[in-house]
Amino acid sequence: MNILVTGSAGFAGKNLVENLKNIRDGKNRTRPEISVDKIYEYDLNNTPQELDAFCRDCDFVFNLAGVNRPKDPAEFKTGNFGFTYALLDTLKKNGNKCPVMLSSSLQASLAGRFGTSEYGLSKRDGENLLFDYAAETGAEVYVYRFPNLVGKWVRPNYNSAVGTFCNNIANDLPITVNDPSVELELLFIDDMIDEMYNAMEGHPHRCEYPKTGEIIDGVEYDGLTPRWCSDGKYCGAVVTHKATLGHIVDLLRVFHDQSQNLIMPAIPPKSLEYKLYSMYLSYLPKEKVSFDLKMNCDDRGSFTELLKTVDHGQFSVNISKPGITKGQHWHNTKWEFFIVVSGHGLIQERKIGTDEVLEFEVSGEHIRCVHMLPGYTHNIINLSETENLVTLMWANEIFDPGRPDTFFEPV
């Protein structure tokens, strides 16, 4: 399959092209029904002659080209309607009835606050043009009304407040939030790309946009919320996330502080937090990609906290010099894992009030995990005379100096 991507240098286009290359080159094998041969990238620097050649040879079109922030509002019409007209006309001239996907916007609904949107008007005109094209040629068309599209490579200070917030907070620049209660519906770029794969496979998620106030099956619609149905005129990405500006900024500030306090917030799989943190990281300047950790050093070696989590404890690394014994303490409820990754050592544990000692010989040559049991005093001994003993440690809770639950007693 030969794919034409218009707007290929833009945020959505760049992400889509790079992921199509992964399928073409066999790096992504999660979509075995999709075969990509050639990828035609079309943007402002290309010529009408190139567009003609691409339209002659393509088997699927992603029309992601568009104008978002023109100096003159008249450019909305030229960029969002005029180019779509030229694209479809070129396909017709070449007799190519391949499927065409159009990147539209929720603003095209002209519902709610979008009722006077020049951008929305131009997008709606582009939608109607595509529907007329489908009726005339019989070509399959997929019209997507995207909400706020976000993710890595969003251009800050352009058309995405979330991109601006990520960039500015990552770079310690000021931000302005006029109304933190404003709610955004976010479509992350990876979820959009998954839906584009669905379209390529011929089974996009279809929907309709009932008018404001219309009630269907007991649900009152607002003109912006899709009603999912197999015969819908429109298409949509089913995975989106709603959040207020205030909540988004609060999360980004937590992400920003992670390198100072080492605390990683709760980030459930596929959640808003998961995707937003990934997006935030893509804006880090070089000087923040790496950061120092505090090593607590003495004549026995060092102990360094690596990472703390709000609900899954903390990770640390302990380095013991040759012949050194560390630990010699016990906990009431805290438990730990010790994992020796380099060197040769002995871990001992003794239940408080008894004489029986559990012993575990450990080595970086055979990595294993040893539980530090609650109610057992424990230590770790470096058995080598020449090598340091390096131990990765995990504790089920962040260390609280006010309630350390750590009591000295030799094994």
Side-chain angles (χ1 to χ4, degrees):
M1 184 184 291
N2 298 331
I3 312 297
L4 169 58
V5 180
T6 72
S8 58
F11 160 59
K14 180 180 179 182
N15 273 276
L16 179 59
V17 165
E18 293 305 318
N19 279 278
L20 288 173
K21 289 179 182 177
N22 286 338
I23 291 181
R24 180 195 65 188
D25 299 340
K27 299 174 183 177
N28 180 354
R29 300 181 182 180
T30 63
R31 296 281 184 153
E33 295 182 17
I34 299 176
S35 175
V36 176
D37 297 312
K38 297 177 182 178
I39 303 170
Y40 297 123
E41 301 178 44
Y42 182 88
D43 213 273
L44 294 176
N45 293 328
N46 293 96
T47 65
Q49 291 75 23
E50 288 175 305
L51 180 62
D52 184 74
F54 296 161
C55 285
R56 187 182 314 121
D57 195 42
C58 65
D59 302 301
F60 197 105
V61 178
F62 288 104
N63 184 18
L64 305 180
V67 174
N68 296 306
R69 287 286 184 91
K71 295 179 180 179
D72 183 350
E75 294 178 38
F76 279 135
K77 189 76 171 178
T78 303
N80 296 330
F81 175 83
F83 176 75
T84 300
Y85 182 90
L87 171 67
L88 299 179
D89 189 59
T90 306
L91 287 168
K92 283 194 290 185
K93 185 181 72 172
N94 284 284
N96 190 340
K97 298 180 182 180
C98 71
V100 181
M101 171 270 173
L102 175 67
S103 172
S104 187
S105 165
L106 276 182
Q107 294 193 38
S109 65
L110 303 180
R113 66 183 187 277
F114 301 134
T116 58
S117 168
E118 290 289 335
Y119 174 71
L121 282 168
S122 68
K123 282 294 190 181
R124 189 182 65 175
D125 289 344
E127 292 178 357
N128 292 332
L129 193 64
L130 200 65
F131 290 134
D132 291 342
Y133 171 79
E136 177 186 349
T137 65
E140 192 74 41
V141 298
Y142 306 123
V143 176
Y144 284 87
R145 285 181 171 178
F146 291 138
N148 295 278
L149 193 57
V150 295
K152 65 183 183 302
W153 307 335
V154 161
R155 177 180 168 187
N157 303 305
Y158 184 56
N159 65 335
S160 170
V162 179
T164 301
F165 293 161
C166 284
N167 176 76
N168 287 20
I169 290 175
N171 289 276
D172 297 313
L173 299 173
I175 64 169
T176 300
V177 182
N178 294 321
D179 185 356
S181 68
V182 170
E183 185 178 70
L184 298 182
E185 182 179 7
L186 305 179
L187 171 58
F188 284 88
I189 189 65
D190 293 334
D191 293 322
M192 186 210 88
I193 289 172
D194 276 343
E195 178 58 28
M196 297 302 95
Y197 293 157
N198 292 336
M200 292 177 70
E201 292 172 344
H203 52 81
H205 289 92
R206 291 198 170 273
C207 63
E208 292 286 357
Y209 287 90
K211 295 179 181 179
T212 303
E214 188 173 352
I215 299 176
I216 302 176
D217 297 330
V219 177
E220 183 175 350
Y221 286 85
D222 58 4
L224 298 170
T225 302
R227 174 179 174 268
W228 302 104
C229 50
S230 59
D231 58 347
K233 181 179 182 180
Y234 296 91
C235 300
V238 295
V239 180
T240 62
H241 300 268
K242 291 185 178 181
T244 64
L245 287 174
H247 181 57
I248 292 168
V249 170
D250 288 344
L251 286 173
L252 292 174
R253 294 200 185 283
V254 170
F255 302 158
H256 171 275
D257 294 342
Q258 193 275 329
S259 60
Q260 282 83 51
N261 59 29
L262 302 182
I263 297 177
M264 182 66 67
I267 303 182
K270 300 181 181 180
S271 64
L272 166 69
E273 293 81 2
Y274 177 97
K275 297 169 187 178
L276 186 63
Y277 190 54
S278 176
M279 177 179 177
Y280 167 79
L281 289 175
S282 70
Y283 291 86
L284 285 180
K286 179 182 177 181
E287 60 270 19
K288 287 191 176 184
V289 174
S290 170
F291 57 93
D292 292 330
L293 296 172
K294 180 185 177 183
M295 296 180 66
N296 300 288
C297 301
D298 58 26
D299 56 3
R300 302 174 303 159
S302 66
F303 178 81
T304 306
E305 293 179 324
L306 303 179
L307 177 68
K308 303 175 183 180
T309 71
V310 296
D311 55 357
H312 287 88
Q314 73 174 54
F315 297 86
S316 308
V317 63
N318 180 76
I319 299 177
S320 300
K321 293 182 178 180
I324 291 295
T325 298
K326 284 191 174 184
Q328 308 283 51
H329 60 242
W330 64 281
H331 315 292
N332 278 305
T333 56
K334 182 188 298 184
W335 67 90
E336 301 166 299
F337 288 149
F338 283 10
I339 305 169
V340 168
V341 296
S342 180
H344 179 209
L346 179 68
I347 293 173
Q348 297 179 316
E349 301 185 54
R350 178 177 60 82
K351 186 176 182 179
I352 296 300
T354 73
D355 295 327
E356 181 184 2
V357 176
L358 309 179
E359 292 192 337
F360 305 93
E361 192 168 349
V362 287
S363 167
E365 299 297 316
H366 180 70
I367 296 177
R368 63 195 305 208
C369 184
V370 183
H371 285 278
M372 298 301 106
L373 304 173
Y376 282 68
T377 186
H378 51 269
N379 64 23
I380 183 166
I381 305 168
N382 188 346
L383 298 178
S384 173
E385 297 180 357
T386 57
E387 286 187 89
N388 284 340
L389 183 68
V390 182
T391 308
L392 178 64
M393 298 177 172
W394 173 83
N396 69 299
E397 61 186 34
I398 295 176
F399 180 74
D400 180 358
R403 295 179 61 88
D405 189 17
T406 301
F407 309 98
F408 174 77
E409 181 165 336
V411 173

